[in-house]
Amino acid sequence: ILYSSLTALRSDVIANYAFGRSYQRLEQKDFDPAYAQSMHEGTAAFHFNKQIYWPFALLVSLPHWLATTLAPGVSMYVGFIRDCEKAINAIKDGSQDPDNKTSHPTLFHELLQNDVPASEKSVSRLVQEAQIVVSAGTETTAWCLSVITFHLLSNPAILQKLRKELEQAMPDPNKPVPVEKLEQLPYLSAVIQEGLRLSYGLSTRLPRVSPVDVMVFNDGKKDWHIPPGVRLTRPSSSSSSSSSSSSSP
């Protein structure tokens, strides 16, 4: 239930940031667990889709009832993609006026109003961007918060130390504190950084390519020069548990 509630929270926040509207999943029964399940289904298929994408693209192009029949395991994620498409179309059609609907500019209003190539403003391109923004802004942050909460509850001394720092910075819990002030809290920052290290997003290899410049890496003994266009991959799990990123991983 903790993970579902945090997923609902992050979904509402990122949807408001990206589209100017909230799905109000925090107000739904059991925090809309079907949405969290759809995120899991999408990430579970990531390994296959990364190598062979056309079957998934075909499912997305089919009527929803047919996609559900053929692949019930990923049908909810297909529905999520179509929700992103509806939101993008609403913004492009002008049915959502950012001045009337929100108190802040939204991500996709800004993208459409900026001077970027027309190809970057197509619905299909923006839907791809929406998938990344909403999925990454929901799944990874909800998991990170879940991991942090678990370790805090499992270590009362750490939790007490964090609470003491927060109580000093926020004597009145009902009064908002500027984020700039929170960023200056050393123990809170350490807890967040450790939570990010322990809750790495994808365990698969993540490619990195420098299209123009030569990349230089030093392994402690010599410099390695990687030519432009050469793809490098390394699992985030091994990076996060490496002694080079933490004194006691």
Side-chain angles (χ1 to χ4, degrees):
I1 191 69
L2 171 65
Y3 179 72
S4 294
S5 65
L6 292 172
T7 300
L9 168 65
R10 294 303 308 152
S11 172
D12 287 347
V13 170
I14 195 63
N16 189 45
Y17 175 77
F19 306 129
R21 64 184 178 89
S22 170
Y23 293 108
Q24 298 182 327
R25 291 194 167 95
L26 276 174
E27 301 176 14
Q28 298 184 31
K29 182 179 180 181
D30 295 330
F31 308 110
D32 191 13
Y35 177 74
Q37 181 62 31
S38 73
M39 291 290 101
H40 280 298
E41 290 177 356
T43 54
F46 176 81
H47 301 280
F48 180 82
N49 294 336
K50 183 179 179 181
Q51 309 300 328
I52 308 175
Y53 185 73
W54 70 263
F56 187 76
L58 177 62
L59 282 174
V60 175
S61 67
L62 295 175
H64 191 249
W65 66 268
L66 182 56
T68 302
T69 302
L70 295 175
V74 295
S75 61
M76 284 190 287
Y77 193 76
V78 172
F80 157 70
I81 294 175
R82 291 181 174 170
D83 284 343
C84 290
E85 184 176 1
K86 290 178 182 178
I88 295 297
N89 279 322
I91 292 174
K92 290 202 72 171
D93 293 342
S95 56
Q96 285 190 358
D97 184 343
D99 294 328
N100 296 330
K101 298 291 184 179
T102 67
S103 59
H104 59 85
T106 67
L107 172 62
F108 289 99
H109 281 103
E110 291 294 319
L111 281 175
L112 289 168
Q113 293 170 5
N114 281 342
D115 185 19
V116 297
S119 60
E120 295 295 312
K121 297 182 179 182
S122 67
V123 172
S124 60
R125 176 67 183 87
L126 293 177
V127 168
Q128 292 175 356
E129 199 70 31
Q131 290 178 61
I132 296 172
V133 170
V134 177
S135 297
T138 300
E139 180 78 4
T140 56
T141 50
W143 177 241
C144 180
L145 290 170
S146 299
V147 169
I148 290 174
T149 302
F150 168 79
H151 284 286
L152 287 176
L153 294 178
S154 301
N155 297 273
I158 295 177
L159 175 60
Q160 181 60 30
K161 187 173 181 179
L162 177 62
R163 288 176 63 93
K164 182 178 180 180
E165 183 179 74
L166 290 174
E167 287 170 355
Q168 292 176 351
M170 305 170 60
D172 183 357
N174 297 315
K175 184 178 179 180
V177 177
V179 67
E180 293 81 8
K181 183 176 181 179
L182 294 176
E183 290 175 342
Q184 301 303 314
L185 301 180
Y187 202 72
L188 173 62
S189 298
V191 168
I192 294 173
Q193 289 297 320
E194 184 67 359
L196 290 169
R197 187 183 72 83
L198 293 173
S199 63
Y200 41 82
L202 297 173
S203 59
T204 186
R205 293 180 176 273
L206 301 176
R208 294 291 182 269
V209 181
S210 176
V212 178
D213 299 324
V214 175
M215 293 188 291
V216 181
F217 294 94
N218 185 284
D219 63 1
K221 298 180 180 179
K222 60 176 293 187
D223 288 337
W224 296 87
H225 297 264
I226 312 300
V230 175
R231 178 176 298 182
L232 300 177
T233 62
R234 183 181 183 184
S236 57
S237 55
S238 64
S239 300
S240 298
S241 58
S242 171
S243 58
S244 62
S245 61
S246 177
S247 57
S248 57

